């Protein structure tokens, strides 16, 4: 996924990535956050704490890559009654 995001010209298309369920998904972000991702899908999201954790990790990774002006939108996927 990371190689495609970094090397393929998507001709203006929005690039969305679904990470694994947290906490493992935070590790997934390391591979893709700085690779021109527009939206991260957060599966089985059950709390705002999880959304904040993804947001904070994305910001850390973008800052470390020198992409301080980039922004990643988050789309929590609610899959449980909780």
């Amino acid at each position: 996924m990371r190689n495609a995001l970094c090397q393929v010209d998507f001709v203006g298309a929005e690039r969305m990535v679904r990470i694994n369920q947290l906490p493992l998904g935070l590790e997934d972000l390391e591979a893709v956050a700085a690779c021109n991702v527009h939206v991260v899908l957060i599966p089985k999201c059950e709390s705002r704490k999880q959304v904040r954790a993804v947001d904070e990790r994305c910001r850390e990774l973008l800052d470390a890559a020198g992409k301080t002006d980039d922004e990643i939108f988050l789309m929590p996927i609610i899959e449980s009654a909780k």
Side-chain angles (χ1 to χ4, degrees):
M1 178 58 67
R2 181 184 57 82
N3 290 339
L5 289 168
C6 292
Q7 296 176 11
V8 174
D9 180 4
F10 289 93
V11 193
E14 187 175 72
R15 292 173 293 275
M16 298 173 65
V17 174
R18 180 193 179 277
I19 60 173
N20 285 305
Q21 184 177 0
L22 298 185
L24 185 60
L26 295 174
E27 294 178 25
D28 295 342
L29 293 172
E30 294 175 20
V32 298
C35 296
N36 304 314
V37 172
H38 293 118
V39 180
V40 169
L41 303 171
I42 309 168
K44 300 182 181 179
C45 190
E46 296 183 336
S47 71
R48 63 179 165 232
K49 182 179 178 182
Q50 291 176 321
V51 176
R52 286 184 183 141
V54 172
D55 184 51
E56 288 171 9
R57 189 65 184 136
C58 286
R59 180 55 30 217
E60 290 170 3
L61 293 165
L62 289 173
D63 289 348
K67 297 185 173 196
T68 56
D69 292 334
D70 287 6
E71 185 173 12
I72 298 176
F73 294 95
L74 306 177
M75 183 181 295
I77 303 171
I78 300 167
E79 301 179 58
S80 75
K82 185 177 178 182

